[in-house]
Amino acid sequence: MSATTLIRSALVVNEGRSVQADVLLRGGRIDRIAPEGIGSAAGAIEVEATGHWLLPGVIDDQVHFREPGLTHKDDIAHGSAAAVAGGVTSFMEMPNTQPQTLPQELLEEKYRLGAARSVANYSFYMGVGSTNLDEVLRTDPRTVCGLKAFLGSSTGDMVISDERVLDELFRKAHLLLAIHAEDDPTIKAELDKALARYGPDIPITEHPHIRSAEACFRSSSAAVERARTFGTRLHVLHISTARELALFDPGPLEGKRITAEACVHHLWFDDEAYRTLGARVKWNPAIKTAADREAIRNAVREGRIDVVATDHAPHTLEEKARPYTQCPSGGPLVQHSLVAMLELARQGVFTVEQVVEKLCHAPARMFAIGDRGHIREGYAADLVLVDPDAPWTVDRAGLEYKCGWSPFEGQRFHARVLRTWVNGHLAYADGRVRHEVRGERLRFDR
Ligand code: DOR
């Protein structure tokens, strides 16, 4: 049972408004939000929060925690610990583990692992391969966040290229279909050119030319067209180019059948970062130009991008040091998504309310998570308390990541996560993760 907690005088940043209030957590739920204050609450632990911001816990709809099978890179215990240290209270995890999450049996095995090991609330995507549609269609929309298909290859070879399989999938998908959209033939042609020019040790600065804007557009535009044809509920992950943005409608999420996600690295870095950080910023899709980044930022503001996530996808530093063709794409991010987005708010790129909308509210609405992602009485007490002005610098010693590194090392952030509650349980406080806390399996009202 979680403790009763009284958070005093926090600035509650929620649903477009910021209001100072006392907030009482009881029985794992938000019991009362009182702008006029709460005199006392019997037996409550009191947290003095004057000058601090209370936000809904972040819901990250794209992480790779690598369990089972790739646990030298990350695992659910470390990934979820890093999540709560960063104010992320719920995550949705991807199927390119080993073995891949293609049969229902393995999907349920992941849920058992989540129940046993996750500090945060959890959901796991059902993987779509070229031959498992029957299994995919057995996925329960009320207890599983979505389906995940790779329409371009990345870590783990899960790519689907057969047009008939894709038609069947888009026609029959009965819950949200999240896709990785990059066109493999386009990438291969560019890779062959680079290999001819440089040999296998291609400079990392070539990455955005190999995994090109054209490769992204070809794949995502074809997927959007197919979704329009079949009425598919399509969610296009990690948009990385200006050109793709016209595929998505601006405005509120409600009523959209086709939605888009942007990731923190595409909002923060541009191709200059390859010169300083090398393969540590090698992602698929690649980080592209400053103009692309600017356009994605604008799309977040105008609603063409519906949610912001991390695509947290760790690899070891040893793996990242390999020559280009053997160096995997992806990096750890889940511990710093909230503070990085709040830093962008401080720089005037977004408002704090927009950050809360894209990281907390919108994922809850998009996935129909009925009682999370907002600070409302009766909702689950998934909350994060932030000091907006407590500058600090990311260093290795403070990382919860199993892989032991971050692309943000040396980065100074102004906002600091002070405490994170998961279902009313204090999961992170004073720089320490409470590893004994366990999150819940997410439920979806659909
Ligand atoms: O860079 C990436 N790495 N992009 C993906 O979509 C997959 C991920 C991984 O699993 O390593």
Side-chain angles (χ1 to χ4, degrees):
M1 196 58 192
S2 61
T4 300
T5 305
L6 178 55
I7 305 166
R8 287 217 183 266
S9 306
L11 191 71
V12 176
V13 184
N14 185 56
E15 299 179 70
R17 293 178 351 125
S18 300
V19 178
Q20 187 169 312
D22 288 0
V23 178
L24 182 66
L25 319 184
R26 197 199 297 271
R29 301 264 142 189
I30 299 167
D31 188 77
R32 261 186 81 194
I33 305 163
E36 70 284 4
I38 294 171
S40 69
I45 297 166
E46 296 212 10
V47 177
E48 172 53 47
T50 305
H52 300 156
W53 296 351
L54 190 67
L55 318 179
V58 173
I59 301 174
D60 191 327
D61 80 345
Q62 191 187 179
V63 302
H64 301 259
F65 286 167
R66 310 296 195 198
E67 196 171 345
L70 297 167
T71 51
H72 65 289
K73 298 175 194 274
D74 202 358
D75 56 33
I76 293 169
H78 284 85
S80 65
V84 297
V88 177
T89 51
S90 298
F91 64 82
M92 304 181 200
E93 205 269 350
M94 288 296 167
N96 57 338
T97 44
Q98 267 179 21
Q100 294 164 348
T101 319
L102 297 174
Q104 289 291 334
E105 202 184 304
L106 283 180
L107 180 62
E108 283 312 314
E109 175 56 23
K110 271 193 164 182
Y111 281 98
R112 280 191 287 277
L113 292 173
R117 297 177 190 168
S118 182
V119 186
N121 303 314
Y122 52 89
S123 195
F124 298 94
Y125 284 87
M126 176 64 180
V128 185
S130 294
T131 56
N132 73 332
L133 190 58
D134 290 349
E135 285 284 303
V136 166
L137 296 178
R138 287 174 46 220
T139 307
D140 181 354
R142 299 182 69 85
T143 60
V144 177
C145 53
L147 314 175
K148 169 68 187 291
F150 283 85
L151 307 191
S153 39
S154 196
T155 301
D157 193 10
M158 281 188 73
V159 71
I160 311 172
S161 46
D162 186 320
E163 301 279 323
R164 277 167 314 175
V165 172
L166 288 172
D167 278 354
E168 279 277 284
L169 170 64
F170 276 61
R171 191 199 323 270
K172 293 187 174 164
H174 61 306
L175 72 160
L176 179 144
L177 173 63
I179 59 160
H180 180 127
E182 285 187 285
D183 184 62
D184 268 356
T186 309
I187 295 168
K188 184 165 182 319
E190 292 300 333
L191 180 61
D192 287 347
K193 276 193 240 167
L195 284 168
R197 183 159 172 211
Y198 300 105
D201 204 355
I202 297 167
I204 186 66
T205 44
E206 288 302 305
H207 188 52
H209 308 303
I210 295 168
R211 313 258 336 181
S212 64
E214 177 65 21
C216 295
F217 185 77
R218 277 201 184 183
S219 180
S220 51
S221 59
V224 165
E225 199 178 310
R226 192 173 252 120
R228 291 213 178 101
T229 304
F230 294 116
T232 319
R233 173 64 189 94
L234 181 71
H235 184 41
V236 186
L237 301 170
H238 42 45
I239 295 296
S240 65
T241 67
R243 192 171 166 206
E244 292 167 285
L245 293 164
L247 298 168
F248 306 101
D249 293 331
L253 177 58
E254 279 58 41
K256 286 186 188 174
R257 295 287 294 164
I258 298 172
T259 52
E261 176 211 79
C263 287
V264 170
H265 46 292
H266 294 122
L267 292 166
W268 184 275
F269 297 109
D270 63 30
D271 53 9
E272 280 297 309
Y274 294 114
R275 295 182 197 285
T276 48
L277 291 166
R280 292 183 198 195
V281 290
K282 184 187 190 214
W283 262 277
N284 298 336
I287 290 164
K288 300 196 173 62
T289 66
D292 288 304
R293 181 182 66 180
E294 196 47 50
I296 303 165
R297 288 175 171 184
N298 191 47
V300 168
R301 292 187 289 259
E302 67 179 9
R304 283 183 204 277
I305 296 289
D306 301 286
V307 294
V308 171
T310 60
D311 191 9
H312 167 91
H315 300 282
T316 65
L317 278 177
E318 184 275 312
E319 291 165 332
K320 285 298 225 179
R322 293 175 189 166
Y324 179 83
T325 45
Q326 288 140 52
C327 165
S329 294
L333 271 182
V334 75
Q335 196 173 336
H336 302 119
S337 56
L338 178 60
V339 289
M341 289 296 287
L342 290 174
E343 196 67 26
L344 291 179
R346 192 180 170 96
Q347 292 168 14
V349 175
F350 305 116
T351 64
V352 174
E353 287 77 13
Q354 282 167 339
V355 169
V356 173
E357 165 65 15
K358 299 297 174 182
L359 290 178
C360 315
H361 303 326
R365 300 206 309 283
M366 177 180 292
F367 288 85
I369 305 170
D371 61 349
R372 302 185 190 274
H374 304 78
I375 303 181
R376 293 183 187 160
E377 290 178 359
Y379 274 47
D382 293 344
L383 296 163
V384 52
L385 190 66
V386 169
D387 186 334
D389 200 6
W392 63 290
T393 302
V394 177
D395 66 4
R396 260 188 204 178
L399 299 176
E400 298 292 334
Y401 300 140
K402 193 167 188 181
C403 67
W405 65 277
S406 161
F408 283 128
E409 279 165 54
Q411 176 64 48
R412 191 169 159 83
F413 290 121
H414 284 81
R416 186 195 294 255
V417 173
L418 299 176
R419 287 170 189 250
T420 306
W421 289 269
V422 176
N423 306 304
H425 295 281
L426 191 62
Y428 175 80
D430 308 321
R432 199 173 72 76
V433 175
R434 311 283 167 101
H435 292 275
E436 66 282 7
V437 170
R438 287 292 166 272
E440 294 175 4
R441 181 171 182 164
L442 295 175
R443 307 272 154 191
F444 308 93
D445 296 337
R446 56 191 180 197

